[in-house]
Amino acid sequence: MTDARYAIEVVVSAPFAQNSLVIWRTEGVDALIVDPGFDTEALIQLVARRGLNPVAILNTHGHSDHIAGNAAMKRAFPEAPLIIGRNEAHLLTDPEANLSAAFGAAIVSPEADLLVDEGQRLELAGFRFLVLEIPGHSPGSVVYVADEETPPFAISGDVVFAGSVGRTDFPGGDAKTLYEGIRGKLFLQADETILLPGHGPNTTVGREKRTNPYVKLG
């Protein structure tokens, strides 16, 4: 990513090794916080260390490990809108649906400030994102694709991982729907598109098209 005009840093939150992201343009200070997990202090310290100004909080989906830090981020950065897919919004305030109740945590996030839909374009922190709704891991997961960047990147949450895909045995999950969404939407992006998953290492669209045992083409 040495030629990119953007920077991405990852905070890995226990206990689920979940990737929270901070993304910003290298020539600016406006930043995006993505899927704030349990380690909110590390995120706040990262923002302060880099001298960044968070202008939005993005959720790819509403499972508890990806929204646990929403409330803390809204307290720290109250002007930053909380954004999630329209068909995922109910998970924010429902501990049963967001799976936190099963772990005895009962996490409740603030409600979203903005709900996004399939095909929508978002302009945030100097980036233009295409919103792709790819359910199957959760009822309304969205992927945010920065397809105008060099190299392009996609915030893919738990839709697809390096060599794997999101679990489909949670409420609202469906393997067929997930696989079709990955192949029919995400795999239409350029092969060099960097995938920033919710767990594990980065990968690319091209690599997963060739090698992912669940959704590879051909």
Side-chain angles (χ1 to χ4, degrees), residues 57-125:
I57 303 159
L58 300 181
N59 286 158
T60 59
H61 64 296
H63 286 160
S64 57
D65 53 333
H66 293 255
I67 67 167
N70 281 356
M73 294 301 103
K74 286 294 288 184
R75 286 193 298 269
F77 313 109
E79 300 304 312
L82 176 61
I83 302 171
I84 197 169
R86 185 175 305 278
N87 294 318
E88 197 76 6
H90 65 283
L91 274 69
L92 293 175
T93 56
D94 184 342
E96 294 288 343
N98 68 35
L99 308 181
S100 62
F103 296 98
I107 291 170
V108 175
S109 162
E111 292 186 356
D113 300 297
L114 176 65
L115 302 179
V116 294
D117 299 292
E118 165 73 22
Q120 187 171 343
R121 282 281 180 180
L122 286 177
E123 297 194 16
L124 300 165

Short mmCIF file of all heavy atoms in Angstrom, two decimals, residues 57-125:
data_model
loop_
_atom_site.label_atom_id
_atom_site.label_comp_id
_atom_site.label_asym_id
_atom_site.label_seq_id
_atom_site.Cartn_x
_atom_site.Cartn_y
_atom_site.Cartn_z
N ILE A 57 -18.71 6.79 11.96
CA ILE A 57 -18.53 5.46 12.54
C ILE A 57 -19.33 4.50 11.66
O ILE A 57 -20.56 4.61 11.56
CB ILE A 57 -19.03 5.40 13.99
CG1 ILE A 57 -18.33 6.45 14.85
CG2 ILE A 57 -18.85 4.00 14.57
CD1 ILE A 57 -19.09 6.81 16.12
N LEU A 58 -18.64 3.59 11.00
CA LEU A 58 -19.29 2.65 10.09
C LEU A 58 -19.41 1.28 10.74
O LEU A 58 -18.44 0.78 11.32
CB LEU A 58 -18.48 2.50 8.80
CG LEU A 58 -18.22 3.73 7.94
CD1 LEU A 58 -17.43 3.33 6.69
CD2 LEU A 58 -19.51 4.40 7.54
N ASN A 59 -20.58 0.70 10.63
CA ASN A 59 -20.78 -0.70 11.01
C ASN A 59 -21.06 -1.52 9.76
O ASN A 59 -21.92 -1.15 8.95
CB ASN A 59 -21.96 -0.87 11.95
CG ASN A 59 -21.72 -0.39 13.38
OD1 ASN A 59 -22.68 -0.10 14.08
ND2 ASN A 59 -20.48 -0.26 13.80
N THR A 60 -20.33 -2.62 9.58
CA THR A 60 -20.64 -3.53 8.48
C THR A 60 -21.87 -4.37 8.80
O THR A 60 -22.64 -4.70 7.90
CB THR A 60 -19.46 -4.46 8.18
OG1 THR A 60 -19.15 -5.23 9.36
CG2 THR A 60 -18.24 -3.68 7.73
N HIS A 61 -22.03 -4.72 10.07
CA HIS A 61 -23.21 -5.46 10.51
C HIS A 61 -23.34 -5.31 12.01
O HIS A 61 -22.51 -4.65 12.64
CB HIS A 61 -23.13 -6.93 10.09
CG HIS A 61 -22.01 -7.72 10.68
ND1 HIS A 61 -20.68 -7.44 10.44
CD2 HIS A 61 -22.03 -8.79 11.52
CE1 HIS A 61 -19.93 -8.31 11.09
NE2 HIS A 61 -20.71 -9.13 11.76
N GLY A 62 -24.40 -5.89 12.57
CA GLY A 62 -24.74 -5.59 13.94
C GLY A 62 -24.41 -6.64 14.97
O GLY A 62 -24.92 -6.57 16.09
N HIS A 63 -23.57 -7.61 14.66
CA HIS A 63 -23.18 -8.57 15.68
C HIS A 63 -22.36 -7.89 16.77
O HIS A 63 -21.63 -6.93 16.51
CB HIS A 63 -22.42 -9.74 15.06
CG HIS A 63 -23.30 -10.68 14.29
ND1 HIS A 63 -22.81 -11.55 13.35
CD2 HIS A 63 -24.66 -10.88 14.33
CE1 HIS A 63 -23.82 -12.25 12.84
NE2 HIS A 63 -24.93 -11.86 13.41
N SER A 64 -22.47 -8.42 17.97
CA SER A 64 -21.98 -7.69 19.15
C SER A 64 -20.50 -7.35 19.11
O SER A 64 -20.10 -6.29 19.59
CB SER A 64 -22.29 -8.50 20.41
OG SER A 64 -21.72 -9.80 20.35
N ASP A 65 -19.68 -8.22 18.53
CA ASP A 65 -18.25 -7.93 18.52
C ASP A 65 -17.90 -6.77 17.60
O ASP A 65 -16.81 -6.20 17.70
CB ASP A 65 -17.42 -9.18 18.16
CG ASP A 65 -17.86 -9.86 16.87
OD1 ASP A 65 -19.04 -9.74 16.51
OD2 ASP A 65 -17.02 -10.53 16.24
N HIS A 66 -18.82 -6.40 16.70
CA HIS A 66 -18.58 -5.31 15.77
C HIS A 66 -19.24 -4.00 16.20
O HIS A 66 -18.99 -2.97 15.59
CB HIS A 66 -19.06 -5.69 14.37
CG HIS A 66 -18.27 -6.79 13.76
ND1 HIS A 66 -17.33 -6.58 12.76
CD2 HIS A 66 -18.23 -8.12 14.03
CE1 HIS A 66 -16.77 -7.74 12.44
NE2 HIS A 66 -17.31 -8.69 13.19
N ILE A 67 -20.09 -4.06 17.21
CA ILE A 67 -20.78 -2.85 17.67
C ILE A 67 -20.54 -2.53 19.13
O ILE A 67 -21.05 -1.54 19.65
CB ILE A 67 -22.30 -2.95 17.43
CG1 ILE A 67 -22.92 -4.04 18.32
CG2 ILE A 67 -22.60 -3.22 15.95
CD1 ILE A 67 -24.45 -4.01 18.37
N ALA A 68 -19.75 -3.36 19.81
CA ALA A 68 -19.56 -3.20 21.25
C ALA A 68 -19.01 -1.82 21.61
O ALA A 68 -19.29 -1.30 22.70
CB ALA A 68 -18.62 -4.28 21.79
N GLY A 69 -18.24 -1.22 20.72
CA GLY A 69 -17.65 0.08 20.99
C GLY A 69 -18.43 1.27 20.46
O GLY A 69 -17.99 2.41 20.57
N ASN A 70 -19.60 1.03 19.88
CA ASN A 70 -20.37 2.14 19.30
C ASN A 70 -20.68 3.23 20.32
O ASN A 70 -20.52 4.43 20.05
CB ASN A 70 -21.68 1.63 18.70
CG ASN A 70 -21.52 1.00 17.34
OD1 ASN A 70 -20.43 0.99 16.77
ND2 ASN A 70 -22.60 0.46 16.80
N ALA A 71 -21.16 2.83 21.48
CA ALA A 71 -21.55 3.82 22.49
C ALA A 71 -20.34 4.65 22.93
O ALA A 71 -20.43 5.88 23.05
CB ALA A 71 -22.19 3.12 23.69
N ALA A 72 -19.22 3.98 23.15
CA ALA A 72 -18.01 4.72 23.56
C ALA A 72 -17.54 5.67 22.47
O ALA A 72 -17.09 6.79 22.75
CB ALA A 72 -16.90 3.73 23.93
N MET A 73 -17.63 5.24 21.21
CA MET A 73 -17.21 6.11 20.11
C MET A 73 -18.14 7.32 19.99
O MET A 73 -17.68 8.43 19.72
CB MET A 73 -17.17 5.34 18.79
CG MET A 73 -16.13 4.24 18.71
SD MET A 73 -14.42 4.81 18.94
CE MET A 73 -14.14 4.27 20.65
N LYS A 74 -19.44 7.11 20.19
CA LYS A 74 -20.37 8.23 20.12
C LYS A 74 -20.16 9.20 21.27
O LYS A 74 -20.34 10.41 21.11
CB LYS A 74 -21.82 7.72 20.10
CG LYS A 74 -22.26 7.11 18.80
CD LYS A 74 -22.30 8.15 17.66
CE LYS A 74 -23.45 9.12 17.82
NZ LYS A 74 -23.53 10.06 16.67
N ARG A 75 -19.78 8.69 22.43
CA ARG A 75 -19.46 9.60 23.54
C ARG A 75 -18.20 10.40 23.25
O ARG A 75 -18.13 11.60 23.53
CB ARG A 75 -19.28 8.80 24.83
CG ARG A 75 -20.57 8.28 25.43
CD ARG A 75 -20.37 7.80 26.85
NE ARG A 75 -19.44 6.68 26.93
CZ ARG A 75 -19.79 5.40 26.86
NH1 ARG A 75 -21.08 5.09 26.70
NH2 ARG A 75 -18.89 4.44 26.95
N ALA A 76 -17.21 9.73 22.68
CA ALA A 76 -15.93 10.41 22.42
C ALA A 76 -16.03 11.36 21.23
O ALA A 76 -15.39 12.41 21.21
CB ALA A 76 -14.84 9.37 22.17
N PHE A 77 -16.84 10.97 20.22
CA PHE A 77 -16.93 11.75 18.98
C PHE A 77 -18.41 11.95 18.63
O PHE A 77 -18.92 11.37 17.67
CB PHE A 77 -16.20 11.03 17.85
CG PHE A 77 -14.82 10.54 18.25
CD1 PHE A 77 -14.57 9.19 18.42
CD2 PHE A 77 -13.80 11.44 18.47
CE1 PHE A 77 -13.31 8.74 18.80
CE2 PHE A 77 -12.53 11.01 18.86
CZ PHE A 77 -12.29 9.66 19.02
N PRO A 78 -19.12 12.76 19.40
CA PRO A 78 -20.58 12.85 19.26
C PRO A 78 -21.04 13.39 17.92
O PRO A 78 -22.19 13.15 17.53
CB PRO A 78 -20.99 13.77 20.41
CG PRO A 78 -19.75 14.54 20.77
CD PRO A 78 -18.62 13.60 20.51
N GLU A 79 -20.19 14.11 17.21
CA GLU A 79 -20.60 14.66 15.91
C GLU A 79 -20.46 13.65 14.77
O GLU A 79 -20.92 13.91 13.66
CB GLU A 79 -19.77 15.92 15.59
CG GLU A 79 -19.92 17.04 16.61
CD GLU A 79 -21.37 17.45 16.80
OE1 GLU A 79 -22.07 17.66 15.78
OE2 GLU A 79 -21.81 17.55 17.96
N ALA A 80 -19.81 12.53 15.03
CA ALA A 80 -19.61 11.51 13.98
C ALA A 80 -20.86 10.65 13.87
O ALA A 80 -21.24 9.97 14.84
CB ALA A 80 -18.40 10.64 14.30
N PRO A 81 -21.53 10.63 12.72
CA PRO A 81 -22.74 9.82 12.58
C PRO A 81 -22.41 8.33 12.60
O PRO A 81 -21.39 7.89 12.06
CB PRO A 81 -23.30 10.23 11.22
CG PRO A 81 -22.12 10.74 10.46
CD PRO A 81 -21.23 11.38 11.48
N LEU A 82 -23.30 7.56 13.22
CA LEU A 82 -23.21 6.11 13.23
C LEU A 82 -24.00 5.58 12.04
O LEU A 82 -25.18 5.90 11.87
CB LEU A 82 -23.77 5.56 14.54
CG LEU A 82 -23.85 4.04 14.68
CD1 LEU A 82 -22.47 3.41 14.59
CD2 LEU A 82 -24.53 3.67 15.99
N ILE A 83 -23.35 4.77 11.19
CA ILE A 83 -23.92 4.35 9.92
C ILE A 83 -23.96 2.83 9.84
O ILE A 83 -22.96 2.16 10.17
CB ILE A 83 -23.08 4.91 8.75
CG1 ILE A 83 -23.03 6.44 8.83
CG2 ILE A 83 -23.63 4.46 7.40
CD1 ILE A 83 -22.06 7.08 7.84
N ILE A 84 -25.08 2.28 9.39
CA ILE A 84 -25.22 0.83 9.24
C ILE A 84 -26.25 0.57 8.13
O ILE A 84 -27.01 1.46 7.75
CB ILE A 84 -25.66 0.17 10.57
CG1 ILE A 84 -25.43 -1.34 10.56
CG2 ILE A 84 -27.11 0.50 10.90
CD1 ILE A 84 -25.59 -2.00 11.92
N GLY A 85 -26.26 -0.65 7.60
CA GLY A 85 -27.24 -1.02 6.59
C GLY A 85 -28.66 -1.01 7.14
O GLY A 85 -28.90 -1.38 8.30
N ARG A 86 -29.60 -0.59 6.31
CA ARG A 86 -30.99 -0.45 6.75
C ARG A 86 -31.55 -1.76 7.31
O ARG A 86 -32.28 -1.76 8.31
CB ARG A 86 -31.84 0.01 5.56
CG ARG A 86 -33.29 0.31 5.91
CD ARG A 86 -34.05 0.88 4.73
NE ARG A 86 -33.39 2.06 4.19
CZ ARG A 86 -33.52 3.30 4.69
NH1 ARG A 86 -34.26 3.50 5.76
NH2 ARG A 86 -32.89 4.30 4.11
N ASN A 87 -31.24 -2.87 6.69
CA ASN A 87 -31.79 -4.16 7.10
C ASN A 87 -31.02 -4.80 8.25
O ASN A 87 -31.32 -5.93 8.66
CB ASN A 87 -31.85 -5.10 5.91
CG ASN A 87 -32.84 -4.63 4.87
OD1 ASN A 87 -33.94 -4.18 5.20
ND2 ASN A 87 -32.46 -4.70 3.59
N GLU A 88 -30.05 -4.08 8.77
CA GLU A 88 -29.26 -4.56 9.90
C GLU A 88 -29.50 -3.73 11.15
O GLU A 88 -29.09 -4.10 12.26
CB GLU A 88 -27.77 -4.50 9.52
CG GLU A 88 -26.84 -5.30 10.39
CD GLU A 88 -26.88 -6.80 10.14
OE1 GLU A 88 -27.55 -7.24 9.20
OE2 GLU A 88 -26.23 -7.54 10.91
N ALA A 89 -30.20 -2.61 11.01
CA ALA A 89 -30.29 -1.61 12.07
C ALA A 89 -30.90 -2.16 13.36
O ALA A 89 -30.51 -1.75 14.46
CB ALA A 89 -31.08 -0.41 11.58
N HIS A 90 -31.84 -3.09 13.24
CA HIS A 90 -32.51 -3.57 14.44
C HIS A 90 -31.58 -4.34 15.37
O HIS A 90 -31.85 -4.45 16.57
CB HIS A 90 -33.72 -4.44 14.07
CG HIS A 90 -33.36 -5.71 13.37
ND1 HIS A 90 -33.00 -5.75 12.03
CD2 HIS A 90 -33.32 -6.99 13.82
CE1 HIS A 90 -32.75 -7.01 11.70
NE2 HIS A 90 -32.93 -7.77 12.75
N LEU A 91 -30.47 -4.84 14.85
CA LEU A 91 -29.54 -5.57 15.70
C LEU A 91 -28.86 -4.66 16.72
O LEU A 91 -28.42 -5.12 17.79
CB LEU A 91 -28.46 -6.28 14.86
CG LEU A 91 -28.82 -7.66 14.31
CD1 LEU A 91 -29.89 -7.57 13.24
CD2 LEU A 91 -27.57 -8.36 13.76
N LEU A 92 -28.76 -3.38 16.41
CA LEU A 92 -28.06 -2.46 17.29
C LEU A 92 -28.65 -2.45 18.70
O LEU A 92 -27.92 -2.37 19.69
CB LEU A 92 -28.07 -1.05 16.71
CG LEU A 92 -27.29 -0.82 15.42
CD1 LEU A 92 -27.51 0.60 14.91
CD2 LEU A 92 -25.80 -1.09 15.62
N THR A 93 -29.96 -2.51 18.79
CA THR A 93 -30.63 -2.33 20.08
C THR A 93 -31.31 -3.60 20.59
O THR A 93 -32.06 -3.54 21.56
CB THR A 93 -31.68 -1.21 19.96
OG1 THR A 93 -32.60 -1.53 18.90
CG2 THR A 93 -31.01 0.12 19.66
N ASP A 94 -31.02 -4.73 19.97
CA ASP A 94 -31.64 -6.00 20.36
C ASP A 94 -30.55 -7.00 20.74
O ASP A 94 -29.92 -7.61 19.87
CB ASP A 94 -32.47 -6.53 19.20
CG ASP A 94 -33.24 -7.80 19.55
OD1 ASP A 94 -32.88 -8.47 20.55
OD2 ASP A 94 -34.18 -8.15 18.81
N PRO A 95 -30.30 -7.19 22.04
CA PRO A 95 -29.23 -8.10 22.48
C PRO A 95 -29.41 -9.54 22.01
O PRO A 95 -28.43 -10.26 21.85
CB PRO A 95 -29.27 -7.99 24.00
CG PRO A 95 -29.86 -6.66 24.28
CD PRO A 95 -30.88 -6.47 23.19
N GLU A 96 -30.65 -9.97 21.80
CA GLU A 96 -30.86 -11.32 21.27
C GLU A 96 -30.38 -11.38 19.83
O GLU A 96 -29.66 -12.30 19.43
CB GLU A 96 -32.34 -11.69 21.36
CG GLU A 96 -32.88 -11.83 22.77
CD GLU A 96 -32.39 -13.07 23.48
OE1 GLU A 96 -31.90 -13.99 22.79
OE2 GLU A 96 -32.48 -13.12 24.72
N ALA A 97 -30.79 -10.41 19.02
CA ALA A 97 -30.44 -10.42 17.60
C ALA A 97 -28.95 -10.19 17.38
O ALA A 97 -28.36 -10.76 16.46
CB ALA A 97 -31.25 -9.35 16.86
N ASN A 98 -28.32 -9.35 18.21
CA ASN A 98 -26.89 -9.09 17.99
C ASN A 98 -25.99 -10.10 18.69
O ASN A 98 -24.76 -9.96 18.66
CB ASN A 98 -26.53 -7.65 18.37
CG ASN A 98 -26.62 -7.34 19.85
OD1 ASN A 98 -26.33 -8.15 20.72
ND2 ASN A 98 -27.03 -6.09 20.15
N LEU A 99 -26.59 -11.11 19.29
CA LEU A 99 -25.90 -12.28 19.86
C LEU A 99 -25.23 -12.02 21.20
O LEU A 99 -24.64 -12.93 21.77
CB LEU A 99 -24.86 -12.86 18.88
CG LEU A 99 -25.34 -13.15 17.46
CD1 LEU A 99 -24.21 -13.74 16.63
CD2 LEU A 99 -26.54 -14.11 17.48
N SER A 100 -25.32 -10.79 21.72
CA SER A 100 -24.66 -10.51 22.99
C SER A 100 -25.37 -11.17 24.17
O SER A 100 -24.72 -11.55 25.15
CB SER A 100 -24.55 -9.01 23.22
OG SER A 100 -25.82 -8.39 23.29
N ALA A 101 -26.68 -11.33 24.08
CA ALA A 101 -27.41 -11.94 25.19
C ALA A 101 -26.94 -13.36 25.45
O ALA A 101 -26.88 -13.81 26.60
CB ALA A 101 -28.91 -11.93 24.89
N ALA A 102 -26.57 -14.05 24.38
CA ALA A 102 -26.10 -15.44 24.52
C ALA A 102 -24.82 -15.53 25.33
O ALA A 102 -24.51 -16.58 25.91
CB ALA A 102 -25.91 -16.06 23.14
N PHE A 103 -24.06 -14.44 25.37
CA PHE A 103 -22.81 -14.41 26.13
C PHE A 103 -22.97 -13.69 27.46
O PHE A 103 -21.98 -13.41 28.15
CB PHE A 103 -21.71 -13.73 25.30
CG PHE A 103 -21.35 -14.47 24.04
CD1 PHE A 103 -21.89 -14.10 22.82
CD2 PHE A 103 -20.49 -15.55 24.07
CE1 PHE A 103 -21.57 -14.79 21.66
CE2 PHE A 103 -20.16 -16.25 22.92
CZ PHE A 103 -20.71 -15.87 21.71
N GLY A 104 -24.20 -13.36 27.83
CA GLY A 104 -24.46 -12.71 29.10
C GLY A 104 -24.06 -11.26 29.16
O GLY A 104 -23.89 -10.70 30.25
N ALA A 105 -23.91 -10.61 27.99
CA ALA A 105 -23.41 -9.24 27.97
C ALA A 105 -24.51 -8.21 27.74
O ALA A 105 -24.43 -7.09 28.22
CB ALA A 105 -22.35 -9.08 26.88
N ALA A 106 -25.55 -8.54 26.98
CA ALA A 106 -26.67 -7.65 26.68
C ALA A 106 -26.20 -6.29 26.18
O ALA A 106 -26.50 -5.25 26.76
CB ALA A 106 -27.58 -7.50 27.89
N ILE A 107 -25.46 -6.30 25.08
CA ILE A 107 -24.95 -5.06 24.50
C ILE A 107 -26.05 -4.34 23.73
O ILE A 107 -26.75 -4.94 22.92
CB ILE A 107 -23.76 -5.36 23.57
CG1 ILE A 107 -22.56 -5.84 24.39
CG2 ILE A 107 -23.39 -4.15 22.72
CD1 ILE A 107 -21.43 -6.40 23.56
N VAL A 108 -26.19 -3.05 24.02
CA VAL A 108 -27.14 -2.21 23.30
C VAL A 108 -26.37 -1.00 22.78
O VAL A 108 -25.74 -0.27 23.54
CB VAL A 108 -28.30 -1.75 24.20
CG1 VAL A 108 -29.20 -0.77 23.46
CG2 VAL A 108 -29.10 -2.95 24.69
N SER A 109 -26.41 -0.80 21.48
CA SER A 109 -25.74 0.31 20.82
C SER A 109 -26.70 1.49 20.71
O SER A 109 -27.93 1.31 20.69
CB SER A 109 -25.28 -0.12 19.42
OG SER A 109 -25.01 0.99 18.60
N PRO A 110 -26.17 2.70 20.59
CA PRO A 110 -27.05 3.80 20.16
C PRO A 110 -27.66 3.47 18.81
O PRO A 110 -27.11 2.70 18.03
CB PRO A 110 -26.08 4.99 20.04
CG PRO A 110 -24.90 4.62 20.87
CD PRO A 110 -24.78 3.13 20.80
N GLU A 111 -28.81 4.05 18.54
CA GLU A 111 -29.42 3.86 17.23
C GLU A 111 -28.59 4.54 16.16
O GLU A 111 -27.84 5.48 16.43
CB GLU A 111 -30.85 4.42 17.22
CG GLU A 111 -31.80 3.63 18.11
CD GLU A 111 -33.22 4.12 17.98
OE1 GLU A 111 -33.45 5.12 17.26
OE2 GLU A 111 -34.11 3.52 18.60
N ALA A 112 -28.72 4.07 14.93
CA ALA A 112 -27.95 4.64 13.83
C ALA A 112 -28.43 6.05 13.51
O ALA A 112 -29.61 6.38 13.65
CB ALA A 112 -28.09 3.76 12.59
N ASP A 113 -27.50 6.87 13.07
CA ASP A 113 -27.82 8.21 12.57
C ASP A 113 -28.15 8.19 11.09
O ASP A 113 -28.85 9.06 10.59
CB ASP A 113 -26.64 9.16 12.81
CG ASP A 113 -26.30 9.30 14.27
OD1 ASP A 113 -27.16 9.79 15.03
OD2 ASP A 113 -25.18 8.90 14.67
N LEU A 114 -27.62 7.19 10.38
CA LEU A 114 -27.84 7.08 8.94
C LEU A 114 -27.93 5.62 8.56
O LEU A 114 -27.07 4.81 8.94
CB LEU A 114 -26.69 7.74 8.17
CG LEU A 114 -26.73 7.63 6.64
CD1 LEU A 114 -27.95 8.37 6.08
CD2 LEU A 114 -25.44 8.17 6.02
N LEU A 115 -28.98 5.26 7.82
CA LEU A 115 -29.15 3.90 7.29
C LEU A 115 -28.85 3.92 5.81
O LEU A 115 -29.30 4.81 5.08
CB LEU A 115 -30.58 3.41 7.54
CG LEU A 115 -31.04 3.40 8.99
CD1 LEU A 115 -32.48 2.91 9.08
CD2 LEU A 115 -30.12 2.54 9.85
N VAL A 116 -28.07 2.92 5.35
CA VAL A 116 -27.67 2.90 3.95
C VAL A 116 -28.27 1.69 3.24
O VAL A 116 -28.63 0.69 3.86
CB VAL A 116 -26.13 2.90 3.80
CG1 VAL A 116 -25.56 4.21 4.31
CG2 VAL A 116 -25.49 1.73 4.54
N ASP A 117 -28.35 1.81 1.91
CA ASP A 117 -29.01 0.81 1.09
C ASP A 117 -28.09 0.35 -0.04
O ASP A 117 -27.14 1.05 -0.41
CB ASP A 117 -30.28 1.39 0.47
CG ASP A 117 -31.29 1.82 1.51
OD1 ASP A 117 -31.84 0.93 2.19
OD2 ASP A 117 -31.53 3.03 1.65
N GLU A 118 -28.42 -0.80 -0.59
CA GLU A 118 -27.72 -1.36 -1.74
C GLU A 118 -27.60 -0.32 -2.86
O GLU A 118 -28.57 0.34 -3.24
CB GLU A 118 -28.48 -2.58 -2.25
CG GLU A 118 -28.10 -3.07 -3.63
CD GLU A 118 -26.76 -3.78 -3.66
OE1 GLU A 118 -26.32 -4.25 -2.59
OE2 GLU A 118 -26.17 -3.87 -4.75
N GLY A 119 -26.38 -0.18 -3.39
CA GLY A 119 -26.14 0.71 -4.51
C GLY A 119 -25.93 2.17 -4.16
O GLY A 119 -25.60 2.98 -5.04
N GLN A 120 -26.09 2.51 -2.90
CA GLN A 120 -25.91 3.90 -2.48
C GLN A 120 -24.44 4.30 -2.55
O GLN A 120 -23.54 3.47 -2.38
CB GLN A 120 -26.44 4.07 -1.06
CG GLN A 120 -26.47 5.49 -0.53
CD GLN A 120 -27.22 5.57 0.79
OE1 GLN A 120 -27.96 4.65 1.17
NE2 GLN A 120 -27.02 6.65 1.51
N ARG A 121 -24.18 5.58 -2.80
CA ARG A 121 -22.84 6.13 -2.76
C ARG A 121 -22.70 7.02 -1.53
O ARG A 121 -23.53 7.89 -1.30
CB ARG A 121 -22.53 6.94 -4.02
CG ARG A 121 -22.21 6.09 -5.24
CD ARG A 121 -20.79 5.59 -5.21
NE ARG A 121 -20.48 4.77 -6.39
CZ ARG A 121 -19.28 4.22 -6.59
NH1 ARG A 121 -18.31 4.38 -5.71
NH2 ARG A 121 -19.06 3.49 -7.67
N LEU A 122 -21.66 6.79 -0.76
CA LEU A 122 -21.38 7.59 0.43
C LEU A 122 -20.10 8.37 0.21
O LEU A 122 -19.10 7.81 -0.27
CB LEU A 122 -21.18 6.68 1.65
CG LEU A 122 -22.38 6.02 2.29
CD1 LEU A 122 -21.90 5.12 3.43
CD2 LEU A 122 -23.35 7.06 2.82
N GLU A 123 -20.09 9.63 0.58
CA GLU A 123 -18.88 10.45 0.54
C GLU A 123 -18.53 10.81 1.97
O GLU A 123 -19.24 11.58 2.62
CB GLU A 123 -19.10 11.68 -0.33
CG GLU A 123 -19.37 11.34 -1.78
CD GLU A 123 -19.26 12.54 -2.71
OE1 GLU A 123 -18.70 13.58 -2.29
OE2 GLU A 123 -19.74 12.42 -3.85
N LEU A 124 -17.42 10.24 2.44
CA LEU A 124 -17.01 10.40 3.83
C LEU A 124 -15.49 10.51 3.91
O LEU A 124 -14.77 9.70 3.32
CB LEU A 124 -17.45 9.19 4.66
CG LEU A 124 -18.94 8.87 4.75
CD1 LEU A 124 -19.15 7.47 5.30
CD2 LEU A 124 -19.65 9.90 5.62
N ALA A 125 -15.01 11.51 4.64
CA ALA A 125 -13.58 11.67 4.90
C ALA A 125 -12.74 11.68 3.63
O ALA A 125 -11.60 11.22 3.62
CB ALA A 125 -13.08 10.57 5.85
#
